[in-house]
Coordinates of all heavy atoms in Angstrom, one line a residue:
V421 N 22.7 -0.2 33.1 CA 22.7 -1.6 32.9 C 21.4 -2.2 32.6 O 21.3 -3.4 32.3 CB 23.3 -2.3 34.1 CG1 24.7 -1.8 34.4 CG2 22.4 -2.0 35.4
Q422 N 20.3 -1.5 32.7 CA 19.0 -2.0 32.5 C 18.3 -1.3 31.4 O 18.6 -0.3 31.0 CB 18.1 -1.9 33.8 CG 18.6 -2.9 34.9 CD 17.6 -2.8 36.1 OE1 16.7 -2.1 36.1 NE2 17.9 -3.7 37.1
G423 N 17.2 -2.0 30.9 CA 16.3 -1.4 29.9 C 16.8 -1.6 28.5 O 17.8 -2.3 28.2
D424 N 16.1 -1.1 27.5 CA 16.4 -1.2 26.1 C 17.6 -0.4 25.7 O 18.0 0.5 26.5 CB 15.2 -0.9 25.3 CG 14.0 -1.9 25.6 OD1 14.2 -3.0 26.1 OD2 12.8 -1.4 25.5
E425 N 18.0 -0.6 24.5 CA 19.1 0.3 24.0 C 18.6 1.6 23.6 O 19.3 2.6 23.5 CB 19.7 -0.4 22.8 CG 20.7 -1.5 23.1 CD 21.9 -1.0 23.9 OE1 22.4 0.1 23.5 OE2 22.3 -1.6 24.9
M426 N 17.2 1.7 23.3 CA 16.6 3.0 23.0 C 15.9 3.5 24.2 O 15.1 2.8 24.8 CB 15.7 2.8 21.8 CG 16.4 2.3 20.6 SD 17.6 3.4 19.8 CE 16.6 4.7 19.3
V427 N 16.1 4.8 24.5 CA 15.4 5.5 25.6 C 14.8 6.8 25.1 O 15.2 7.3 24.0 CB 16.4 5.8 26.8 CG1 17.0 4.5 27.3 CG2 17.6 6.7 26.3
T428 N 13.9 7.3 25.8 CA 13.3 8.6 25.5 C 14.3 9.8 25.9 O 15.2 9.5 26.7 CB 12.0 8.9 26.2 OG1 12.2 8.9 27.6 CG2 11.0 7.8 25.9
V429 N 14.1 10.9 25.2 CA 14.9 12.0 25.5 C 14.7 12.5 27.0 O 15.7 12.8 27.6 CB 14.5 13.2 24.5 CG1 15.2 14.5 25.0 CG2 14.9 12.9 23.1
A430 N 13.5 12.3 27.5 CA 13.3 12.6 28.9 C 14.2 11.7 29.8 O 14.7 12.2 30.8 CB 11.8 12.5 29.2
E431 N 14.2 10.5 29.5 CA 15.0 9.5 30.3 C 16.5 9.9 30.2 O 17.3 9.8 31.2 CB 14.8 8.1 29.9 CG 13.4 7.6 30.2 CD 13.1 6.3 29.6 OE1 13.8 5.9 28.6 OE2 12.1 5.6 30.0
A432 N 16.9 10.2 29.0 CA 18.4 10.6 28.8 C 18.7 11.8 29.6 O 19.8 11.9 30.2 CB 18.7 10.8 27.3
L433 N 17.8 12.8 29.6 CA 18.1 14.1 30.4 C 18.0 13.8 31.8 O 18.8 14.4 32.6 CB 17.1 15.1 29.9 CG 17.1 15.7 28.5 CD1 16.1 16.7 28.2 CD2 18.5 16.2 28.2
E434 N 17.2 12.9 32.3 CA 17.1 12.6 33.7 C 18.4 11.9 34.1 O 19.0 12.2 35.2 CB 15.9 11.7 34.0 CG 15.8 11.3 35.5 CD 14.6 10.4 35.7 OE1 14.0 9.9 34.7 OE2 14.3 10.2 36.9
N435 N 18.9 11.0 33.3 CA 20.2 10.4 33.6 C 21.4 11.4 33.6 O 22.2 11.4 34.5 CB 20.6 9.4 32.5 CG 21.8 8.6 32.8 OD1 22.0 8.0 33.8 ND2 22.8 8.7 31.9
L436 N 21.3 12.4 32.7 CA 22.3 13.5 32.7 C 22.2 14.3 34.0 O 23.2 14.8 34.5 CB 22.1 14.5 31.5 CG 22.7 13.9 30.2 CD1 22.4 14.9 29.1 CD2 24.1 13.6 30.3
S437 N 21.0 14.5 34.6 CA 20.8 15.2 35.8 C 21.5 14.5 37.0 O 22.1 15.1 37.8 CB 19.4 15.5 36.1 OG 18.7 14.3 36.5
H438 N 21.4 13.1 36.9 CA 22.1 12.3 38.0 C 23.6 12.4 37.8 O 24.3 12.6 38.8 CB 21.6 10.9 37.9 CG 20.2 10.7 38.2 ND1 19.6 11.2 39.4 CD2 19.2 10.1 37.6 CE1 18.3 10.8 39.4 NE2 18.0 10.2 38.3
Y439 N 24.0 12.4 36.6 CA 25.5 12.5 36.3 C 25.9 13.9 36.7 O 27.1 14.0 37.3 CB 25.8 12.3 34.8 CG 27.2 12.4 34.5 CD1 28.1 11.5 34.8 CD2 27.6 13.6 33.7 CE1 29.5 11.6 34.5 CE2 29.0 13.7 33.5 CZ 29.9 12.7 33.8 OH 31.2 12.9 33.5
S440 N 25.1 14.9 36.5 CA 25.5 16.3 36.9 C 25.6 16.4 38.4 O 26.6 17.1 38.9 CB 24.4 17.3 36.5 OG 24.6 18.6 36.9
N441 N 24.8 15.7 39.2 CA 25.0 15.7 40.7 C 26.3 15.1 41.0 O 27.0 15.5 42.0 CB 23.8 14.9 41.3 CG 22.5 15.7 41.2 OD1 22.5 16.9 41.1 ND2 21.4 15.0 41.3
I442 N 26.7 14.0 40.3 CA 28.0 13.3 40.6 C 29.1 14.3 40.3 O 30.1 14.4 41.1 CB 28.0 12.0 39.8 CG1 26.9 11.0 40.3 CG2 29.4 11.4 40.1 CD1 26.9 9.8 39.4
I443 N 29.0 14.9 39.2 CA 30.1 15.9 38.8 C 30.2 17.0 39.8 O 31.2 17.5 40.2 CB 29.8 16.4 37.4 CG1 30.0 15.3 36.4 CG2 30.7 17.6 37.1 CD1 31.4 14.7 36.4
R444 N 28.9 17.5 40.3 CA 28.9 18.6 41.2 C 29.7 18.2 42.5 O 30.4 19.0 43.1 CB 27.5 19.0 41.5 CG 27.4 20.1 42.5 CD 25.9 20.5 42.7 NE 25.1 19.3 43.1 CZ 25.0 18.8 44.3 NH1 25.8 19.4 45.3 NH2 24.3 17.7 44.6
C445 N 29.3 17.0 43.0 CA 29.9 16.6 44.3 C 31.4 16.3 44.1 O 32.3 16.6 44.9 CB 29.3 15.3 44.7 SG 27.6 15.6 45.3
R446 N 31.8 15.7 42.9 CA 33.2 15.4 42.6 C 34.1 16.6 42.6 O 35.2 16.6 43.1 CB 33.3 14.6 41.3 CG 34.7 14.3 40.9 CD 34.8 13.5 39.6 NE 36.1 13.2 39.2 CZ 36.5 12.6 38.1 NH1 35.5 12.2 37.3 NH2 37.8 12.5 37.8
F447 N 33.6 17.7 41.9 CA 34.4 18.9 41.8 C 34.0 20.0 42.7 O 34.3 21.2 42.4 CB 34.3 19.4 40.3 CG 34.9 18.4 39.3 CD1 34.2 17.5 38.6 CD2 36.3 18.4 39.2 CE1 34.8 16.6 37.7 CE2 36.9 17.5 38.3 CZ 36.2 16.6 37.5
N448 N 33.2 19.7 43.7 CA 32.8 20.7 44.8 C 32.0 21.9 44.1 O 32.2 23.0 44.5 CB 34.0 21.2 45.5 CG 34.6 20.2 46.4 OD1 33.9 19.4 46.9 ND2 35.9 20.2 46.5
G449 N 31.2 21.5 43.1 CA 30.3 22.5 42.5 C 31.0 23.4 41.6 O 30.4 24.5 41.1
K450 N 32.3 23.2 41.2 CA 33.0 24.1 40.3 C 32.5 24.0 38.9 O 32.5 25.0 38.2 CB 34.5 23.7 40.3 CG 35.4 24.6 39.6 CD 36.9 24.4 39.7 CE 37.2 23.1 39.0 NZ 38.7 22.9 39.0
H451 N 32.1 22.8 38.4 CA 31.6 22.7 37.1 C 30.1 22.4 37.1 O 29.6 21.8 38.0 CB 32.3 21.5 36.4 CG 33.8 21.7 36.4 ND1 34.5 22.9 36.0 CD2 34.8 20.8 36.7 CE1 35.8 22.7 36.1 NE2 36.0 21.4 36.5
Q452 N 29.4 22.9 36.1 CA 28.0 22.7 36.0 C 27.6 22.1 34.6 O 28.3 22.3 33.6 CB 27.3 24.1 36.0 CG 27.5 24.8 37.4 CD 26.7 26.1 37.3 OE1 26.0 26.4 36.4 NE2 26.9 26.9 38.4
V453 N 26.5 21.3 34.7 CA 26.0 20.7 33.4 C 24.5 21.1 33.3 O 23.7 20.8 34.2 CB 26.1 19.1 33.5 CG1 25.5 18.5 32.3 CG2 27.5 18.7 33.7
N454 N 24.3 21.9 32.3 CA 22.9 22.4 32.1 C 22.3 21.8 30.9 O 22.9 21.5 29.9 CB 22.9 24.0 31.9 CG 23.5 24.7 33.1 OD1 23.3 24.2 34.3 ND2 24.2 25.8 32.9
T455 N 21.0 21.5 31.0 CA 20.3 20.9 29.9 C 19.0 21.7 29.5 O 18.5 22.3 30.4 CB 19.9 19.4 30.2 OG1 19.0 19.5 31.4 CG2 21.1 18.5 30.6
A456 N 18.6 21.5 28.3 CA 17.4 22.2 27.7 C 16.9 21.4 26.6 O 17.7 20.9 25.8 CB 17.7 23.6 27.3
A457 N 15.6 21.2 26.6 CA 14.9 20.5 25.5 C 13.5 21.0 25.3 O 12.9 21.4 26.2 CB 14.9 18.9 25.9
S458 N 13.1 21.1 24.0 CA 11.8 21.6 23.7 C 10.8 20.4 24.1 O 11.1 19.2 24.2 CB 11.6 21.9 22.2 OG 12.1 20.8 21.4
K459 N 9.6 20.8 24.4 CA 8.6 19.9 25.0 C 8.3 18.8 24.0 O 8.0 17.7 24.4 CB 7.4 20.7 25.4 CG 6.3 19.9 26.2 CD 5.2 20.8 26.6 CE 4.2 20.0 27.4 NZ 3.1 20.8 27.9
E460 N 8.2 19.1 22.7 CA 7.8 18.1 21.7 C 8.8 17.0 21.5 O 8.4 16.0 20.9 CB 7.5 18.8 20.4 CG 8.7 19.5 19.7 CD 8.8 20.9 20.1 OE1 8.1 21.3 21.1 OE2 9.5 21.7 19.5
V461 N 10.0 17.1 22.0 CA 11.0 16.1 21.8 C 11.2 15.1 22.9 O 11.9 14.2 22.9 CB 12.4 16.7 21.4 CG1 12.2 17.6 20.2 CG2 13.0 17.4 22.6
L462 N 10.5 15.4 24.1 CA 10.8 14.6 25.3 C 10.5 13.2 25.1 O 11.1 12.3 25.7 CB 10.0 15.2 26.5 CG 10.4 16.6 26.9 CD1 9.6 17.1 28.1 CD2 11.9 16.6 27.3
E463 N 9.5 12.8 24.3 CA 9.1 11.4 24.1 C 9.8 10.7 22.9 O 9.5 9.5 22.6 CB 7.6 11.3 24.0 CG 6.8 11.7 25.2 CD 7.2 11.0 26.5 OE1 7.3 9.7 26.3 OE2 7.3 11.6 27.5
K464 N 10.6 11.5 22.2 CA 11.4 10.9 21.1 C 12.4 10.0 21.7 O 12.9 10.2 22.8 CB 12.1 12.0 20.3 CG 11.1 13.0 19.7 CD 10.1 12.4 18.7 CE 9.2 13.5 18.1 NZ 8.2 12.9 17.2
R465 N 12.8 8.9 20.9 CA 13.7 7.9 21.4 C 15.0 8.0 20.7 O 15.1 8.2 19.5 CB 13.1 6.5 21.2 CG 11.8 6.3 21.9 CD 11.3 4.9 21.7 NE 12.0 3.9 22.5 CZ 11.8 3.6 23.7 NH1 10.9 4.3 24.4 NH2 12.5 2.7 24.3
I466 N 16.1 7.9 21.5 CA 17.5 8.0 21.0 C 18.3 6.8 21.6 O 17.8 6.2 22.6 CB 18.1 9.3 21.3 CG1 18.1 9.5 22.9 CG2 17.4 10.5 20.7 CD1 18.9 10.7 23.3
P467 N 19.4 6.5 21.1 CA 20.2 5.4 21.7 C 20.7 5.8 23.1 O 21.0 7.0 23.4 CB 21.4 5.3 20.8 CG 20.9 5.8 19.5 CD 20.0 6.9 19.8
K468 N 20.7 4.8 24.0 CA 21.1 5.0 25.4 C 22.6 5.4 25.4 O 23.4 4.9 24.6 CB 20.9 3.8 26.2 CG 21.2 3.9 27.7 CD 21.3 2.6 28.4 CE 19.9 2.0 28.5 NZ 19.9 0.7 29.3
L469 N 23.0 6.2 26.4 CA 24.4 6.6 26.6 C 25.0 7.2 25.3 O 26.2 7.0 25.0 CB 25.2 5.4 27.1 CG 24.8 4.9 28.5 CD1 25.6 3.7 28.9 CD2 24.9 5.9 29.6
L470 N 24.2 7.9 24.6 CA 24.8 8.7 23.4 C 25.3 10.0 23.8 O 26.3 10.5 23.2 CB 23.7 8.8 22.3 CG 24.1 9.3 20.9 CD1 25.1 8.3 20.3 CD2 22.9 9.6 20.1
I471 N 24.7 10.6 24.8 CA 25.0 12.0 25.1 C 26.0 12.1 26.3 O 27.0 12.9 26.3 CB 23.8 12.8 25.4 CG1 22.8 12.8 24.2 CG2 24.1 14.3 25.7 CD1 21.5 13.4 24.5
Q472 N 25.8 11.2 27.3 CA 26.6 11.2 28.5 C 28.1 11.1 28.3 O 28.9 11.8 28.9 CB 26.0 10.2 29.4 CG 26.7 10.2 30.8 CD 27.9 9.4 30.9 OE1 28.1 8.4 30.1 NE2 28.9 9.7 31.8
P473 N 28.6 10.2 27.4 CA 30.0 10.2 27.2 C 30.6 11.5 26.7 O 31.7 11.8 27.0 CB 30.2 9.0 26.2 CG 29.0 8.1 26.4 CD 27.9 9.1 26.7
L474 N 29.8 12.2 25.8 CA 30.3 13.5 25.3 C 30.3 14.5 26.4 O 31.3 15.3 26.5 CB 29.3 14.0 24.2 CG 29.2 13.0 23.0 CD1 28.2 13.6 22.0 CD2 30.5 12.9 22.3
V475 N 29.4 14.5 27.3 CA 29.4 15.4 28.5 C 30.6 15.0 29.4 O 31.3 15.9 29.9 CB 28.1 15.3 29.3 CG1 28.1 16.1 30.5 CG2 26.9 15.7 28.4
E476 N 30.8 13.7 29.6 CA 32.0 13.3 30.4 C 33.3 13.8 29.8 O 34.2 14.3 30.5 CB 31.9 11.8 30.6 CG 33.0 11.3 31.5 CD 32.8 9.8 31.8 OE1 31.9 9.2 31.2 OE2 33.6 9.3 32.5
N477 N 33.4 13.7 28.5 CA 34.6 14.1 27.8 C 34.8 15.6 28.0 O 35.9 16.1 28.3 CB 34.6 13.8 26.3 CG 35.2 12.4 26.0 OD1 35.7 11.8 26.9 ND2 35.1 12.0 24.8
A478 N 33.7 16.4 27.9 CA 33.8 17.8 28.1 C 34.2 18.2 29.5 O 35.0 19.1 29.6 CB 32.4 18.4 27.7
V479 N 33.7 17.5 30.4 CA 34.1 17.8 31.9 C 35.6 17.4 32.1 O 36.3 18.2 32.7 CB 33.2 17.1 32.8 CG1 33.7 17.3 34.2 CG2 31.7 17.6 32.7
L480 N 35.9 16.2 31.7 CA 37.3 15.7 32.1 C 38.4 16.3 31.2 O 39.5 16.6 31.8 CB 37.3 14.2 31.9 CG 36.4 13.4 32.8 CD1 36.5 11.9 32.6 CD2 36.6 13.8 34.3

Side-chain angles (χ1 to χ4, degrees):
V421 301
Q422 290 187 353
D424 300 330
E425 281 298 315
M426 301 295 292
V427 297
T428 64
V429 172
E431 291 172 341
L433 294 180
E434 182 181 8
N435 181 60
L436 282 180
S437 69
H438 295 308
Y439 178 73
S440 175
N441 288 336
I442 297 173
I443 291 301
R444 177 179 58 80
C445 294
R446 176 180 175 183
F447 294 99
N448 294 324
K450 185 173 72 170
H451 304 313
Q452 297 182 5
V453 178
N454 298 328
T455 61
S458 55
K459 188 175 181 179
E460 62 270 15
V461 305
L462 293 179
E463 296 303 318
K464 304 295 183 182
R465 300 182 73 83
I466 61 175
K468 182 192 291 187
L469 296 177
L470 187 67
I471 304 175
Q472 185 271 334
L474 299 178
V475 176
E476 183 174 359
N477 270 358
V479 173
L480 297 181

